[in-house]
Amino acid sequence: MRPPSTPRPPVTARVFVQRFSSTPRGARLARHLVVHRLDAWGVPYGSALSDTAALLVAELAANAVTHGRVPGRDIEVLLRLDAYTLRIDVSDSRGERRPTVTAQPEAEHGRGLLLVDALADRWGVLDRVPVGKTVRAELDLLPRGERSLTGDDFARE
């Protein structure tokens, strides 16, 4: 005999994957397309979630094209949205150059991962098979049980 289960809302994961040229233009296009895709999924432009995702993609893609660039190889952006989490993966071909959060107070560069660390609920670096690395950032949506299934919770501030 099985114990009665508590009803759980259905989980539909939406996934967007796209490769971009490993150039500043590719990084900019990645940010624009991610915000556009989120809007198509019901996360409106200008919402807190959309703006935070745009900042995370901008920083991770800029790092990938600046520090992970291999001539002739693209970067890849994966966006996954379910009822509880937005996951952003940015992959490049340079597995030996792993990002670290080490910004000097007077440095002109190097503060981007501090933003990622502050904005993302979780982030980390994963090995990518067969070559390269993936930097993943995750944003938690409303806590489980507090999210409506209508999608209007995305506009939270």
Side-chain angles (χ1 to χ4, degrees):
M1 184 161 169
R2 296 171 62 179
S5 62
T6 57
R8 294 176 20 173
V11 177
T12 301
R14 297 174 180 102
V15 178
F16 169 74
V17 181
Q18 181 70 49
R19 290 185 179 211
F20 299 93
S21 63
S22 189
T23 63
R25 183 177 185 183
R28 186 172 57 251
L29 182 58
R31 178 176 51 87
H32 286 295
L33 284 179
V34 162
V35 171
H36 181 72
R37 176 57 56 185
L38 287 173
D39 185 64
W41 288 345
V43 181
Y45 293 113
S47 67
L49 181 60
S50 177
D51 289 349
T52 302
L55 286 169
L56 289 170
V57 170
E59 181 52 41
L60 297 178
N63 280 354
V65 303
T66 302
H67 306 292
R69 184 174 190 275
V70 173
R73 299 277 180 109
D74 294 336
I75 64 168
E76 182 178 271
V77 175
L78 180 142
L79 191 66
R80 183 181 186 278
L81 177 69
D82 64 30
Y84 310 111
T85 307
L86 172 64
R87 183 174 80 197
I88 300 165
D89 288 353
V90 178
S91 303
D92 63 55
S93 299
R94 298 279 307 262
E96 75 279 4
R97 298 200 61 188
R98 300 178 83 78
T100 58
V101 181
T102 55
Q104 301 299 323
E106 295 83 26
E108 292 183 23
H109 303 285
R111 290 190 174 86
L113 287 177
L114 290 174
L115 285 173
V116 172
D117 193 49
L119 293 172
D121 292 303
R122 287 168 303 288
W123 76 276
V125 183
L126 309 165
D127 290 328
R128 183 174 183 224
V129 176
V131 63
K133 68 179 173 300
T134 297
V135 182
R136 174 175 291 169
E138 291 184 346
L139 296 170
D140 291 332
L141 305 179
L142 295 178
R144 292 177 188 239
E146 293 184 27
R147 176 158 160 58
S148 75
L149 297 178
T150 62
D152 52 346
D153 290 328
F154 289 125
R156 67 182 169 100
E157 292 294 322

